Amino acid sequence: MDNKINESSRYTFSDFLPLITIFGLIGFITLAHQLYYGWNLMECMRIIMAAFFLIFGCFKIINLAHFAEAYHMYDLIAQRFYWYGYIYPFLELSLGITYLLSWHTFVVNIFTLTLMLVSATGVFNELRKGKTVICACLGVVFKIPMTYVTLAEDLIMAVMALIMILM
């Protein structure tokens, strides 16, 4: 599988359209929840995180073997333990379910904070090296380039987990 993107290509809006669409869906789900149940910052973050992990996890398991191969290119844990790429999507799905059910939120937020910071570190390392690879954030269903958007996704999830821990 080719995990590289043409070095000479420029990123266009259409390169990020799948990601924009999914974030729009997550926003719609969150807004609908907030309108129905009333505005609450903690609930808003919980629903965003549930939707994020469930949607992104589902895309990763569509082609699990190719996801693991792509993820191995930049994730710190997957580079050392290849099998971790096969487990990671199920970690995300589990996180999505636990956020959806508000189950053991303190422990789940600590785990999420750790997971997202490790992921962000791997992404940052690849960006710093100037490598151009596809982001495995939506599995390999879409060829989205790894950019600072990928890093922002991980860091936003980490910050939300940290806020939820502190609150």
Side-chain angles (χ1 to χ4, degrees):
M1 185 180 131
D2 183 19
N3 292 325
K4 303 239 184 240
I5 292 179
N6 183 350
E7 298 285 344
S8 64
S9 69
R10 292 182 185 255
Y11 304 132
T12 64
F13 179 79
S14 63
D15 291 327
F16 297 96
L17 193 56
L19 198 57
I20 293 165
T21 303
I22 289 169
F23 280 123
L25 177 61
I26 292 169
F28 176 76
I29 291 167
T30 304
L31 180 62
H33 180 273
Q34 294 295 294
L35 290 173
Y36 187 79
Y37 290 104
W39 179 258
N40 180 302
L41 179 61
M42 296 296 281
E43 281 294 297
C44 180
M45 289 189 296
R46 183 181 67 79
I47 295 302
I48 289 170
M49 294 173 87
F52 178 91
F53 284 125
L54 288 170
I55 292 169
F56 279 65
C58 284
F59 273 104
K60 288 174 176 77
I61 63 171
I62 289 173
N63 192 336
L64 191 56
H66 284 127
F67 164 76
E69 184 180 338
Y71 200 52
H72 174 75
M73 299 291 290
Y74 62 89
D75 183 76
L76 298 177
I77 299 172
Q79 286 176 346
R80 184 163 181 163
F81 305 104
Y82 192 83
W83 52 264
Y84 179 70
Y86 286 92
I87 293 172
Y88 186 81
F90 297 99
L91 291 175
E92 282 195 348
L93 289 171
S94 298
L95 286 171
I97 291 167
T98 58
Y99 278 112
L100 192 62
L101 300 176
S102 293
W103 186 72
H104 295 287
T105 54
F106 184 75
V107 173
V108 169
N109 283 313
I110 290 173
F111 183 78
T112 300
L113 176 63
T114 305
L115 190 70
M116 293 294 98
L117 288 177
V118 169
S119 181
T121 303
V123 170
F124 178 75
N125 286 343
E126 294 305 306
L127 292 172
R128 187 180 50 133
K129 293 176 190 173
K131 289 188 177 182
T132 306
V133 296
I134 63 166
C135 178
C137 55
L138 289 173
V140 290
V141 176
F142 302 104
K143 287 196 174 202
I144 298 171
M146 182 188 296
T147 64
Y148 284 96
V149 172
T150 310
L151 181 61
E153 288 172 21
D154 290 343
L155 292 176
I156 289 168
M157 296 302 284
V159 166
M160 284 195 300
L162 179 62
I163 291 169
M164 292 174 79
I165 290 167
L166 297 174
M167 304 293 272

